[in-house]
Amino acid sequence: MIIDIHGHYTTAPAQLGAWRDRQIAFTEGTGEAPDVADLHISDDEIRETIEANQLSLMDARGIDLTVFSPRASFMAHHIGDLEVSATWARICNDLVARVARLFPDRFLPGAMLPQSPGVDPKTTLAELDRAVDELGVVTVNINPDPSGGLWTAPALTDKSWYPLYEKLVEYELPAMIHVSTSCKPVFHTTGDHYLNADTTAFMQLLKGDLFRDFPDLTFVIPHGGGAVPYHWGRFRGLAMALGKPEIEEHLLGNVFFDTCVYHQPGIDLLTAVVPTDNVLFASEMIGAVRDIDPRTGHHFDDTRRYVDATDNLSADQRTAVFEGNARRVYPRLERALASRGL
């Protein structure tokens, strides 16, 4: 089985974006707050957007299951206040859960959280509870920068996050550390902002001792960890300078990296540097990079090809990256598959 742990509903029906535009206009004082009841998306419209896009590519690439969450760039926690964010999160989470219900053998749902700049992270717990109890999510996305590029939030190691972490441990939910849209034109959202955030999140964790307090907390850093694997020696040296243990001891029992790296040398580097047990297969297909690479004739985000081709993995290690590690890191995913005899 091949499990993609990083998918987003980037192809949602146009009504979703139109409703969000009205909500944004309201936050800018140029319109009325839209009613959730005004958003109508049928099951057939969901099926059409999935079958023609994610599902078609999954079948073509031999991917059996995707962990699916709301579109990351749409989270945009810096827009409006907590009430705006809570309403938007509920809509997006419900929509992704509908995808999983319509295609139960191919998708498992993840959730975004209703974060808002300057607001205590514990305000996200009600939606987290609902996402687990009613929607059956197997993961959540945590935005370490709800301000959208201003970086006003406390570090991930700050104790203001602890109520959220306690719930994640209780629910056995890994969290993907994933920022959203940049509100600063100098930062391209899916380019430097995403990769900067991946690197920043890792450094925040390196500087702290979060996992001493939460030994069972699990984070996934996407996009191959940003700059982390490329600068592994730098981070090892900084850990020494900060009086921290080696990275393997300090972080790698709790921190994992996905394979959303869009060329062969990048996957080769990732799998050469990061222990295999900490690498999970992912593609983020129909995401940041959607074109075909003219040098290879294949989509940039067809990451299975890179994992298959690297010489750094044995057959058993490749199986771990494609399936075993996800089943170990995502307990609710494992139970869902086991209940189906898989």
Side-chain angles (χ1 to χ4, degrees), residues 70-181:
R71 184 173 182 173
S73 62
F74 264 28
M75 295 191 299
H77 294 112
H78 63 281
I79 294 175
D81 57 14
L82 179 60
E83 183 177 355
V84 166
S85 185
T87 301
W88 181 233
R90 189 180 185 96
I91 287 172
C92 293
N93 290 340
D94 285 347
L95 193 59
V96 165
R98 289 176 65 189
V99 172
R101 286 196 294 269
L102 291 169
F103 301 93
D105 295 330
R106 307 304 299 275
F107 295 93
L108 286 173
M112 63 180 279
L113 296 176
Q115 298 175 247
S116 191
V119 177
D120 194 315
K122 70 181 179 183
T123 57
T124 65
L125 299 185
E127 179 62 13
L128 174 61
D129 290 339
R130 191 187 75 89
V132 171
D133 295 336
E134 298 181 18
L135 307 182
V137 301
V138 301
T139 186
V140 297
N141 295 333
I142 293 178
N143 187 348
D145 174 35
S147 68
L150 303 179
W151 286 96
T152 57
L156 291 167
T157 52
D158 188 83
K159 290 191 175 181
S160 62
W161 294 95
Y162 278 27
L164 173 57
Y165 297 160
E166 289 167 358
K167 277 287 189 179
L168 294 178
V169 171
E170 175 187 342
Y171 285 137
E172 296 182 285
L173 283 179
M176 180 171 282
I177 307 301
H178 204 310
V179 289
S180 184
T181 304

